[in-house]
Amino acid sequence: MKLGFNQATTLENSNLATDLELCEKHGYDYIEIRTMDKLPEYLKQYSLEQLSSYFQEHHIKPFALNALVYFNNRSEEDYQQLINEFKQMLECAKELQVPYIVAVPLVTKEKIQKKDIKESSVAVLHELAELAEPYGIKLAVEFVGHPECTINTFEQAYDIVQTVDNPNVGLVLDCFHFHAMNSSIEALKQADISKVFILHMDDTEDFPTGSLVDEDRVWPGHGAIDLEGILTVLKEKGFDGPVTVELFRPEYYEMKAEDVIRKAKETTEEVITKYL
């Protein structure tokens, strides 16, 4: 099983150049590049061509651009800005040979009916997929396990992806988000596993449903998520994609970046080698 690193894990104590150096040193296979902050910071000093050359010359490879945020239920003005941002991401992904772009649903305090969320999401994903097709790049929708996210369970996200019915549109299954709003193991058992493009590995403190936030994440295997249940289903269904560790823990940001990267790899491997 290939192992990836999501840069949120060292969000406040490292940068892209350092993450690459340390992930290469500690044997990671892939990296998910944060386009909201770490990539723009990198490009103040280096070029995309230099980043592309780095990947060509080293073992570690780019796995996803993370992320196109709040893609659904936007105003017309916001939507046009989103499309322009996505086109730029496609060019970046092409240069770096990145196979996936992660798309994150709208998070809002506004109450929106599920039928309107689905209608908007399906329409937008159709258009994004059409734009991405010439590049050979796939879209991975990441539901967020919080009440204020418009798509916050596996079941809801899977239904939308199934309705889109495009082989280039699938899901990010983040174990934290799966747990946080009580997504159904039974729904996962019934799902077409080829629709799970990316698996995020993490764990969490044991807070009630609906109250969890990203900062509650802990090392894989050190929390309350039924990782055994999730991974057993994935194994039975033949999932063989990379596993990416993604943590947002504030106290981990106070550690040395290398210690976090090493510990994240150790704890992730301890969990996944039992199942995948």
Side-chain angles (χ1 to χ4, degrees), residues 230-259:
I230 295 170
L231 294 173
T232 297
V233 172
L234 292 175
K235 179 181 180 180
E236 290 174 351
K237 296 184 74 68
F239 178 81
D240 62 356
V243 176
T244 298
V245 58
E246 182 186 39
L247 309 172
F248 285 84
R249 187 79 174 178
E251 65 192 70
Y252 299 168
Y253 297 151
E254 297 176 3
M255 299 169 58
K256 292 181 179 179
E258 182 165 11
D259 292 340

mmCIF file of all heavy atoms in Angstrom, residues 230-259:
data_model
loop_
_atom_site.group_PDB
_atom_site.id
_atom_site.type_symbol
_atom_site.label_atom_id
_atom_site.label_comp_id
_atom_site.label_asym_id
_atom_site.label_seq_id
_atom_site.Cartn_x
_atom_site.Cartn_y
_atom_site.Cartn_z
ATOM 1 N N ILE A 230 -13.901 0.487 9.099
ATOM 2 C CA ILE A 230 -13.762 1.133 7.792
ATOM 3 C C ILE A 230 -12.773 0.374 6.916
ATOM 4 O O ILE A 230 -13.050 0.048 5.755
ATOM 5 C CB ILE A 230 -13.314 2.600 7.963
ATOM 6 C CG1 ILE A 230 -14.397 3.412 8.685
ATOM 7 C CG2 ILE A 230 -12.991 3.226 6.608
ATOM 8 C CD1 ILE A 230 -13.944 4.797 9.106
ATOM 9 N N LEU A 231 -11.608 0.072 7.479
ATOM 10 C CA LEU A 231 -10.553 -0.559 6.688
ATOM 11 C C LEU A 231 -10.883 -1.999 6.335
ATOM 12 O O LEU A 231 -10.487 -2.487 5.269
ATOM 13 C CB LEU A 231 -9.224 -0.479 7.439
ATOM 14 C CG LEU A 231 -8.670 0.938 7.620
ATOM 15 C CD1 LEU A 231 -7.434 0.923 8.518
ATOM 16 C CD2 LEU A 231 -8.331 1.571 6.276
ATOM 17 N N THR A 232 -11.602 -2.680 7.197
ATOM 18 C CA THR A 232 -12.016 -4.049 6.883
ATOM 19 C C THR A 232 -12.936 -4.062 5.664
ATOM 20 O O THR A 232 -12.791 -4.908 4.764
ATOM 21 C CB THR A 232 -12.723 -4.697 8.084
ATOM 22 O OG1 THR A 232 -11.805 -4.791 9.170
ATOM 23 C CG2 THR A 232 -13.229 -6.095 7.739
ATOM 24 N N VAL A 233 -13.878 -3.127 5.618
ATOM 25 C CA VAL A 233 -14.771 -3.031 4.463
ATOM 26 C C VAL A 233 -13.979 -2.703 3.205
ATOM 27 O O VAL A 233 -14.184 -3.314 2.146
ATOM 28 C CB VAL A 233 -15.869 -1.971 4.692
ATOM 29 C CG1 VAL A 233 -16.679 -1.747 3.410
ATOM 30 C CG2 VAL A 233 -16.793 -2.395 5.824
ATOM 31 N N LEU A 234 -13.074 -1.746 3.307
ATOM 32 C CA LEU A 234 -12.281 -1.369 2.136
ATOM 33 C C LEU A 234 -11.452 -2.546 1.628
ATOM 34 O O LEU A 234 -11.334 -2.760 0.412
ATOM 35 C CB LEU A 234 -11.383 -0.183 2.476
ATOM 36 C CG LEU A 234 -12.103 1.146 2.739
ATOM 37 C CD1 LEU A 234 -11.103 2.214 3.175
ATOM 38 C CD2 LEU A 234 -12.859 1.621 1.509
ATOM 39 N N LYS A 235 -10.878 -3.300 2.552
ATOM 40 C CA LYS A 235 -10.102 -4.477 2.145
ATOM 41 C C LYS A 235 -10.987 -5.495 1.441
ATOM 42 O O LYS A 235 -10.626 -6.028 0.378
ATOM 43 C CB LYS A 235 -9.439 -5.114 3.365
ATOM 44 C CG LYS A 235 -8.639 -6.364 3.026
ATOM 45 C CD LYS A 235 -8.024 -6.984 4.268
ATOM 46 C CE LYS A 235 -7.231 -8.239 3.918
ATOM 47 N NZ LYS A 235 -6.617 -8.863 5.114
ATOM 48 N N GLU A 236 -12.142 -5.771 2.024
ATOM 49 C CA GLU A 236 -13.052 -6.758 1.443
ATOM 50 C C GLU A 236 -13.516 -6.349 0.048
ATOM 51 O O GLU A 236 -13.763 -7.194 -0.807
ATOM 52 C CB GLU A 236 -14.255 -6.950 2.367
ATOM 53 C CG GLU A 236 -13.927 -7.671 3.662
ATOM 54 C CD GLU A 236 -15.092 -7.717 4.627
ATOM 55 O OE1 GLU A 236 -16.117 -7.029 4.355
ATOM 56 O OE2 GLU A 236 -14.990 -8.412 5.653
ATOM 57 N N LYS A 237 -13.611 -5.034 -0.183
ATOM 58 C CA LYS A 237 -14.092 -4.546 -1.467
ATOM 59 C C LYS A 237 -12.964 -4.285 -2.466
ATOM 60 O O LYS A 237 -13.197 -3.827 -3.573
ATOM 61 C CB LYS A 237 -14.935 -3.283 -1.258
ATOM 62 C CG LYS A 237 -16.207 -3.557 -0.445
ATOM 63 C CD LYS A 237 -17.094 -2.339 -0.323
ATOM 64 C CE LYS A 237 -17.820 -2.041 -1.618
ATOM 65 N NZ LYS A 237 -18.827 -3.053 -1.969
ATOM 66 N N GLY A 238 -11.734 -4.564 -2.038
ATOM 67 C CA GLY A 238 -10.610 -4.490 -2.963
ATOM 68 C C GLY A 238 -9.992 -3.133 -3.151
ATOM 69 O O GLY A 238 -9.301 -2.890 -4.147
ATOM 70 N N PHE A 239 -10.174 -2.232 -2.186
ATOM 71 C CA PHE A 239 -9.535 -0.921 -2.304
ATOM 72 C C PHE A 239 -8.019 -1.078 -2.279
ATOM 73 O O PHE A 239 -7.471 -1.736 -1.404
ATOM 74 C CB PHE A 239 -9.977 -0.003 -1.157
ATOM 75 C CG PHE A 239 -9.327 1.357 -1.194
ATOM 76 C CD1 PHE A 239 -9.808 2.340 -2.026
ATOM 77 C CD2 PHE A 239 -8.227 1.632 -0.390
ATOM 78 C CE1 PHE A 239 -9.207 3.594 -2.063
ATOM 79 C CE2 PHE A 239 -7.621 2.878 -0.421
ATOM 80 C CZ PHE A 239 -8.114 3.863 -1.260
ATOM 81 N N ASP A 240 -7.342 -0.473 -3.242
ATOM 82 C CA ASP A 240 -5.881 -0.586 -3.283
ATOM 83 C C ASP A 240 -5.201 0.743 -3.569
ATOM 84 O O ASP A 240 -4.030 0.783 -3.954
ATOM 85 C CB ASP A 240 -5.457 -1.627 -4.324
ATOM 86 C CG ASP A 240 -5.889 -1.240 -5.740
ATOM 87 O OD1 ASP A 240 -6.569 -0.212 -5.907
ATOM 88 O OD2 ASP A 240 -5.534 -1.969 -6.688
ATOM 89 N N GLY A 241 -5.946 1.829 -3.370
ATOM 90 C CA GLY A 241 -5.360 3.148 -3.621
ATOM 91 C C GLY A 241 -4.449 3.590 -2.497
ATOM 92 O O GLY A 241 -4.406 2.961 -1.430
ATOM 93 N N PRO A 242 -3.707 4.663 -2.680
ATOM 94 C CA PRO A 242 -2.854 5.183 -1.613
ATOM 95 C C PRO A 242 -3.663 5.621 -0.395
ATOM 96 O O PRO A 242 -4.849 5.925 -0.499
ATOM 97 C CB PRO A 242 -2.174 6.395 -2.265
ATOM 98 C CG PRO A 242 -2.261 6.140 -3.729
ATOM 99 C CD PRO A 242 -3.550 5.418 -3.933
ATOM 100 N N VAL A 243 -3.013 5.628 0.753
ATOM 101 C CA VAL A 243 -3.587 6.144 1.994
ATOM 102 C C VAL A 243 -2.796 7.393 2.365
ATOM 103 O O VAL A 243 -1.570 7.353 2.452
ATOM 104 C CB VAL A 243 -3.490 5.105 3.122
ATOM 105 C CG1 VAL A 243 -4.011 5.692 4.427
ATOM 106 C CG2 VAL A 243 -4.263 3.844 2.752
ATOM 107 N N THR A 244 -3.521 8.501 2.568
ATOM 108 C CA THR A 244 -2.874 9.772 2.883
ATOM 109 C C THR A 244 -3.184 10.176 4.317
ATOM 110 O O THR A 244 -4.358 10.244 4.701
ATOM 111 C CB THR A 244 -3.368 10.879 1.934
ATOM 112 O OG1 THR A 244 -3.016 10.535 0.599
ATOM 113 C CG2 THR A 244 -2.734 12.214 2.284
ATOM 114 N N VAL A 245 -2.168 10.451 5.107
ATOM 115 C CA VAL A 245 -2.390 10.893 6.483
ATOM 116 C C VAL A 245 -2.654 12.404 6.475
ATOM 117 O O VAL A 245 -1.930 13.171 5.839
ATOM 118 C CB VAL A 245 -1.199 10.538 7.390
ATOM 119 C CG1 VAL A 245 0.104 11.143 6.901
ATOM 120 C CG2 VAL A 245 -1.484 10.936 8.840
ATOM 121 N N GLU A 246 -3.735 12.799 7.187
ATOM 122 C CA GLU A 246 -4.108 14.221 7.245
ATOM 123 C C GLU A 246 -4.533 14.571 8.664
ATOM 124 O O GLU A 246 -5.585 14.137 9.144
ATOM 125 C CB GLU A 246 -5.237 14.552 6.272
ATOM 126 C CG GLU A 246 -5.582 16.033 6.290
ATOM 127 C CD GLU A 246 -6.789 16.388 5.440
ATOM 128 O OE1 GLU A 246 -7.765 15.593 5.442
ATOM 129 O OE2 GLU A 246 -6.771 17.432 4.799
ATOM 130 N N LEU A 247 -3.731 15.376 9.343
ATOM 131 C CA LEU A 247 -4.006 15.802 10.710
ATOM 132 C C LEU A 247 -3.940 17.330 10.790
ATOM 133 O O LEU A 247 -3.184 17.955 10.068
ATOM 134 C CB LEU A 247 -2.989 15.190 11.670
ATOM 135 C CG LEU A 247 -2.786 13.672 11.557
ATOM 136 C CD1 LEU A 247 -1.623 13.225 12.422
ATOM 137 C CD2 LEU A 247 -4.058 12.921 11.928
ATOM 138 N N PHE A 248 -4.748 17.903 11.676
ATOM 139 C CA PHE A 248 -4.756 19.358 11.874
ATOM 140 C C PHE A 248 -4.488 19.716 13.337
ATOM 141 O O PHE A 248 -4.949 20.745 13.807
ATOM 142 C CB PHE A 248 -6.125 19.939 11.496
ATOM 143 C CG PHE A 248 -6.417 20.043 10.023
ATOM 144 C CD1 PHE A 248 -6.914 18.961 9.311
ATOM 145 C CD2 PHE A 248 -6.236 21.241 9.347
ATOM 146 C CE1 PHE A 248 -7.233 19.055 7.965
ATOM 147 C CE2 PHE A 248 -6.547 21.353 7.995
ATOM 148 C CZ PHE A 248 -7.043 20.257 7.304
ATOM 149 N N ARG A 249 -3.792 18.899 14.039
ATOM 150 C CA ARG A 249 -3.683 19.021 15.490
ATOM 151 C C ARG A 249 -2.783 20.197 15.897
ATOM 152 O O ARG A 249 -1.578 20.214 15.572
ATOM 153 C CB ARG A 249 -3.107 17.736 16.057
ATOM 154 C CG ARG A 249 -3.106 17.662 17.566
ATOM 155 C CD ARG A 249 -4.460 17.314 18.075
ATOM 156 N NE ARG A 249 -4.456 17.101 19.519
ATOM 157 C CZ ARG A 249 -5.544 16.825 20.214
ATOM 158 N NH1 ARG A 249 -6.709 16.717 19.602
ATOM 159 N NH2 ARG A 249 -5.472 16.642 21.519
ATOM 160 N N PRO A 250 -3.314 21.218 16.629
ATOM 161 C CA PRO A 250 -2.482 22.368 17.009
ATOM 162 C C PRO A 250 -1.224 21.999 17.779
ATOM 163 O O PRO A 250 -0.161 22.585 17.540
ATOM 164 C CB PRO A 250 -3.442 23.209 17.865
ATOM 165 C CG PRO A 250 -4.792 22.880 17.341
ATOM 166 C CD PRO A 250 -4.730 21.416 16.992
ATOM 167 N N GLU A 251 -1.330 21.024 18.674
ATOM 168 C CA GLU A 251 -0.133 20.675 19.450
ATOM 169 C C GLU A 251 0.931 20.007 18.577
ATOM 170 O O GLU A 251 2.117 20.078 18.884
ATOM 171 C CB GLU A 251 -0.483 19.770 20.629
ATOM 172 C CG GLU A 251 -1.012 18.403 20.263
ATOM 173 C CD GLU A 251 -1.595 17.678 21.457
ATOM 174 O OE1 GLU A 251 -2.659 18.101 21.948
ATOM 175 O OE2 GLU A 251 -0.986 16.694 21.903
ATOM 176 N N TYR A 252 0.514 19.392 17.468
ATOM 177 C CA TYR A 252 1.489 18.818 16.548
ATOM 178 C C TYR A 252 2.228 19.919 15.788
ATOM 179 O O TYR A 252 3.365 19.707 15.358
ATOM 180 C CB TYR A 252 0.820 17.866 15.557
ATOM 181 C CG TYR A 252 0.112 16.673 16.180
ATOM 182 C CD1 TYR A 252 -0.730 15.874 15.420
ATOM 183 C CD2 TYR A 252 0.283 16.342 17.527
ATOM 184 C CE1 TYR A 252 -1.393 14.782 15.975
ATOM 185 C CE2 TYR A 252 -0.378 15.259 18.094
ATOM 186 C CZ TYR A 252 -1.216 14.488 17.311
ATOM 187 O OH TYR A 252 -1.871 13.409 17.863
ATOM 188 N N TYR A 253 1.574 21.067 15.616
ATOM 189 C CA TYR A 253 2.231 22.194 14.950
ATOM 190 C C TYR A 253 3.336 22.792 15.820
ATOM 191 O O TYR A 253 4.191 23.528 15.330
ATOM 192 C CB TYR A 253 1.221 23.293 14.612
ATOM 193 C CG TYR A 253 0.141 22.874 13.637
ATOM 194 C CD1 TYR A 253 -1.115 23.461 13.687
ATOM 195 C CD2 TYR A 253 0.372 21.914 12.660
ATOM 196 C CE1 TYR A 253 -2.113 23.095 12.788
ATOM 197 C CE2 TYR A 253 -0.613 21.541 11.767
ATOM 198 C CZ TYR A 253 -1.858 22.134 11.840
ATOM 199 O OH TYR A 253 -2.849 21.773 10.954
ATOM 200 N N GLU A 254 3.304 22.481 17.112
ATOM 201 C CA GLU A 254 4.341 22.974 18.019
ATOM 202 C C GLU A 254 5.564 22.055 18.038
ATOM 203 O O GLU A 254 6.599 22.405 18.594
ATOM 204 C CB GLU A 254 3.771 23.112 19.433
ATOM 205 C CG GLU A 254 2.633 24.141 19.521
ATOM 206 C CD GLU A 254 2.001 24.201 20.901
ATOM 207 O OE1 GLU A 254 2.496 23.474 21.812
ATOM 208 O OE2 GLU A 254 1.031 24.954 21.072
ATOM 209 N N MET A 255 5.450 20.890 17.428
ATOM 210 C CA MET A 255 6.552 19.940 17.333
ATOM 211 C C MET A 255 7.437 20.281 16.140
ATOM 212 O O MET A 255 7.060 21.063 15.266
ATOM 213 C CB MET A 255 6.003 18.522 17.172
ATOM 214 C CG MET A 255 5.154 18.033 18.316
ATOM 215 S SD MET A 255 4.254 16.477 17.938
ATOM 216 C CE MET A 255 5.607 15.371 17.513
ATOM 217 N N LYS A 256 8.606 19.698 16.088
ATOM 218 C CA LYS A 256 9.437 19.808 14.900
ATOM 219 C C LYS A 256 8.735 19.095 13.751
ATOM 220 O O LYS A 256 8.174 18.003 13.926
ATOM 221 C CB LYS A 256 10.809 19.183 15.138
ATOM 222 C CG LYS A 256 11.675 19.939 16.126
ATOM 223 C CD LYS A 256 13.032 19.260 16.278
ATOM 224 C CE LYS A 256 13.912 20.026 17.243
ATOM 225 N NZ LYS A 256 15.245 19.368 17.428
ATOM 226 N N ALA A 257 8.782 19.701 12.581
ATOM 227 C CA ALA A 257 8.093 19.132 11.428
ATOM 228 C C ALA A 257 8.557 17.703 11.151
ATOM 229 O O ALA A 257 7.749 16.823 10.836
ATOM 230 C CB ALA A 257 8.299 20.009 10.199
ATOM 231 N N GLU A 258 9.834 17.446 11.280
ATOM 232 C CA GLU A 258 10.338 16.100 11.004
ATOM 233 C C GLU A 258 9.772 15.083 11.974
ATOM 234 O O GLU A 258 9.448 13.949 11.580
ATOM 235 C CB GLU A 258 11.859 16.061 11.031
ATOM 236 C CG GLU A 258 12.404 14.676 10.694
ATOM 237 C CD GLU A 258 13.881 14.657 10.359
ATOM 238 O OE1 GLU A 258 14.563 15.696 10.589
ATOM 239 O OE2 GLU A 258 14.364 13.636 9.846
ATOM 240 N N ASP A 259 9.619 15.470 13.230
ATOM 241 C CA ASP A 259 9.051 14.543 14.211
ATOM 242 C C ASP A 259 7.599 14.217 13.880
ATOM 243 O O ASP A 259 7.152 13.070 14.041
ATOM 244 C CB ASP A 259 9.141 15.146 15.617
ATOM 245 C CG ASP A 259 10.576 15.249 16.113
ATOM 246 O OD1 ASP A 259 11.445 14.536 15.569
ATOM 247 O OD2 ASP A 259 10.829 16.056 17.028
#
